[in-house]
Amino acid sequence: MTTQRLPFPVPDERAHYFVGQYADMHDLVEDLVVPAGVPEAAATILRTARELLRQSYYCYEFSTVAVMHSLIAVEIVLRDRIPGAGKKQLHQLIKQGADTGILTARQAEYLDDGRKIRNGMAHGKTTHAAMPPAMAVPMVTTSFTVL
């Protein structure tokens, strides 16, 4: 059996379009603090999404994964907070959240955009989508803010 040794991470060449060095990634995510009272299942997912954004410096596609991951946390909390959520699909939860004032129109828009990307990847319609962190950060920030 052959052992493959992976190289240490190197910055993705696209990272320099949005930051100068890895330390600058902290500025992109420093406001992404998990709110008190968020169920632990959702809090863990949000922390992972934040770290994926930071690590997109090394793997650009992680920013897209961060958006997809943060939507899982949103879905957990919307199911908990929307009466009669049952097994409704995420797009229905987002619409109902906007209709009832749980979400602002802007939040619902960001979440729905992220949902479409997530669905495209989950169902094989979109592959290896690379979302620039400048687009991913507002979507993930929306997840943090909503919760």
Side-chain angles (χ1 to χ4, degrees), residues 78-89 92-93 96:
L78 287 178
R79 282 196 192 288
D80 186 53
R81 294 191 181 154
I82 293 176
K87 296 195 181 265
K88 290 181 181 175
Q89 294 181 353
Q92 293 169 308
L93 296 174
Q96 192 171 348

Side-chain angles (χ1 to χ4, degrees), residues 6-54:
L6 297 174
F8 286 104
V10 295
D12 188 297
E13 62 191 35
R14 297 166 288 183
H16 297 291
Y17 293 133
F18 54 94
V19 296
Q21 59 186 348
Y22 177 73
D24 297 332
M25 294 301 290
H26 180 74
D27 295 337
L28 286 177
V29 301
E30 69 183 337
D31 294 332
L32 298 179
V33 177
V34 177
V38 170
E40 188 56 32
T44 299
I45 293 167
L46 287 176
R47 286 191 289 271
T48 301
R50 179 185 59 219
E51 293 310 310
L52 283 164
L53 278 174
R54 278 208 304 189

